[in-house]
């Protein structure tokens, strides 16, 4: 690990100002992803700004009937909240499907949104990676790609977004709230928060330099039956090969989002109109234009079978 300096911020605006004005500075919350990457020198910040004591750890009801989740609410506290379990069960199930109990105790809501890919070529500093070093090339292309993306990728990067919680948040149409060093606030729909890779895979979100996530707001509950089906290589502590988040209404309509397949939580709203026609129709539309490799082409039929299982459970 390379040397770095450290300080604690006294307010969200101060934290954002420091990071915006100091090259090489990064925010530190739970650190469950950042610190691991620092140990292997994939991330090499020169200064860490600790935001853990800024009071962003509450879950509050909104006037619109939804919930505002502070950026520093731990995954454990969020999944255990009675309102989340009752009204946003897909979110609770997605969180519990991720990582381990120890990590969920520390991992924050904002950190989960901002976690970086688990592509093995990104983690190996001996390999070319456009995310780690823009313009270096992508060793994953033509390499071992079983875990990597089938859609939303490019000829510069085929890594996937690894999270579980953000898949459910995309399904729920969450909104990400931010503040910058001048005190300006933004509300970013989660559909616009994560990016497809294009020519700049090192730019992973819509955040401006130094902009700090302060909360995630959920709209009023959807009702219906909630599901999160995660297919992985082992029963726990593994990232998704394919995951399916879904809310299915009594009339058979619903919403569906996929994880483990793309550069971002993958939801195609036009495909949801096809839910009454079955999983094959939904997946054909949602993955239209997919570019799988020989190693990961199985993800398309796997997504179909996982969704078919969810739809069968919704009918029971």
């Amino acid at each position: 690990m390379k040397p770095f300096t450290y300080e604690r911020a006294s307010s969200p605006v101060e934290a954002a100002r420091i990071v915006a004005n100091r090259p090489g500075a990064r925010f530190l919350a739970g650190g469950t992803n950042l610190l691991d990457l620092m140990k292997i020198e994939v991330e090499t910040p020169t200064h860490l700004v600790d935001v853990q004591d800024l009071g962003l750890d509450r879950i509050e009801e909104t006037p619109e009937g939804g919930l505002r989740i502070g950026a520093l609410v731990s995954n454990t506290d969020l999944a255990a909240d009675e309102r989340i379990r009752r009204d946003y069960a897909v979110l609770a199930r997605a969180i519990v499907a991720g990582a381990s109990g120890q990590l969920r105790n520390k991992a924050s809501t904002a950190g989960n949104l901002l976690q970086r890919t688990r592509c093995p070529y990104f983690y190996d500093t001996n390999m070319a990676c456009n995310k780690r070093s823009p313009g270096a090339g992508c060793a994953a292309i033509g390499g071992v790609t079983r875990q990597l993306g089938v859609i939303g990728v490019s000829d510069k990067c085929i890594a996937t977004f690894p999270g579980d919680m953000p898949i459910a948040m995309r399904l729920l149409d969450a909104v990400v709230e931010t503040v910058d060093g001048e005190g300006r606030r933004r509300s970013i729909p989660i559909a616009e928060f994560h990016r497809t890779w294009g020519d700049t895979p090192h730019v992973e979100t819509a955040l401006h330099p130094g902009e700090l996530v302060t909360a995630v707001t959920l709209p009023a509950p959807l009702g219906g039956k909630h599901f999160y089906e995660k297919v992985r290589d082992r029963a726990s502590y593994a990232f998704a090969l394919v995951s399916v988040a879904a809310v299915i209404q009594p009339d058979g309509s619903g919403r569906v989002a996929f994880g483990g397949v793309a550069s971002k939580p993958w939801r195609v709203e036009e495909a949801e109109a096809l839910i009454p026609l079955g999983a094959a129709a939904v997946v054909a539309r949602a993955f239209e234009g997919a570019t799988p490799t020989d190693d990961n082409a199985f993800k398309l039929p796997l997504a179909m079978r996982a969704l078919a299982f969810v739809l069968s459970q919704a009918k029971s």
Side-chain angles (χ1 to χ4, degrees):
M1 182 183 291
K2 292 190 175 182
F4 60 91
T5 52
Y6 168 92
E7 69 179 296
R8 292 191 177 191
S10 61
S11 72
V13 173
E14 181 192 39
R17 185 184 307 118
I18 295 168
V19 171
N21 293 330
R22 183 160 180 170
R26 293 287 305 273
F27 300 114
L28 175 67
T32 57
N33 188 203
L34 176 61
L35 294 180
D36 281 347
L37 292 173
M38 289 173 65
K39 291 174 184 177
I40 58 176
E41 297 187 4
V42 169
E43 291 272 14
T44 56
T46 57
H47 187 67
L48 294 182
V49 179
D50 194 328
V51 298
Q52 293 180 83
D53 298 326
L54 300 185
L56 303 176
D57 57 354
R58 293 185 290 274
I59 304 173
E60 303 167 312
E61 296 178 6
T62 67
E64 297 75 23
L67 291 176
R68 185 174 185 269
I69 303 161
L72 298 176
V73 173
S74 74
N75 287 182
T76 294
D77 288 346
L78 183 56
D81 186 275
E82 180 182 354
R83 296 161 294 184
I84 295 292
R85 292 167 61 86
R86 181 186 66 232
D87 297 328
Y88 304 95
V90 63
L91 180 56
R93 291 171 182 172
I95 293 170
V96 171
S100 65
Q102 295 93 330
L103 285 172
R104 292 195 297 269
N105 288 342
K106 192 65 177 173
S108 67
T109 297
N112 204 302
L113 286 173
L114 295 169
Q115 66 183 297
R116 307 202 68 189
T117 183
R118 264 59 177 193
C119 173
Y121 297 94
F122 171 73
Y123 269 72
D124 186 346
T125 56
N126 293 310
M127 294 291 181
C129 176
N130 286 318
K131 293 177 71 62
R132 204 177 55 244
S133 180
C138 176
I141 296 175
V144 179
T145 58
R146 181 174 182 272
Q147 291 278 353
L148 302 181
V150 299
I151 199 163
V153 297
S154 75
D155 61 358
K156 300 295 190 295
C157 181
I158 59 172
T160 55
F161 177 79
D164 293 291
M165 182 196 81
I167 312 304
M169 286 189 166
R170 175 67 181 91
L171 186 82
L172 297 168
D173 284 332
V175 174
V176 181
E177 299 179 10
T178 70
V179 68
D180 69 11
E182 301 300 320
R184 294 182 292 252
R185 299 184 181 275
R186 283 206 297 162
S187 295
I188 308 170
I190 196 167
E192 301 170 12
F193 185 76
H194 296 100
R195 301 177 65 254
T196 52
W197 296 146
D199 292 332
T200 55
H202 61 289
V203 182
E204 298 178 339
T205 71
L207 292 176
H208 298 152
E211 197 170 14
L212 176 68
V213 175
T214 56
V216 178
T217 301
L218 301 178
L222 291 172
K225 293 183 177 181
H226 291 219
F227 302 89
Y228 190 75
E229 182 68 17
K230 182 175 180 179
V231 185
R232 47 190 163 177
D233 284 329
R234 55 182 184 269
S236 66
Y237 202 61
F239 296 100
L241 292 168
V242 170
S243 63
V244 177
V247 171
I248 307 298
Q249 302 295 343
D251 65 0
S253 64
R255 297 183 182 185
V256 61
F258 298 90
V261 294
S263 59
K264 59 190 291 185
W266 195 252
R267 180 181 172 204
V268 177
E269 282 86 341
E270 294 85 352
E272 294 168 352
L274 304 176
I275 288 175
L277 300 181
V282 175
V283 168
R285 177 63 186 87
F287 290 87
E288 192 172 42
T291 56
T293 67
D294 291 343
D295 286 349
N296 64 23
F298 72 91
K299 288 193 175 191
L300 299 176
L302 185 60
M304 189 274 292
R305 290 195 292 270
L307 178 57
F309 176 75
V310 165
L311 296 180
S312 70
Q313 293 295 106
K315 293 177 181 178
S316 61

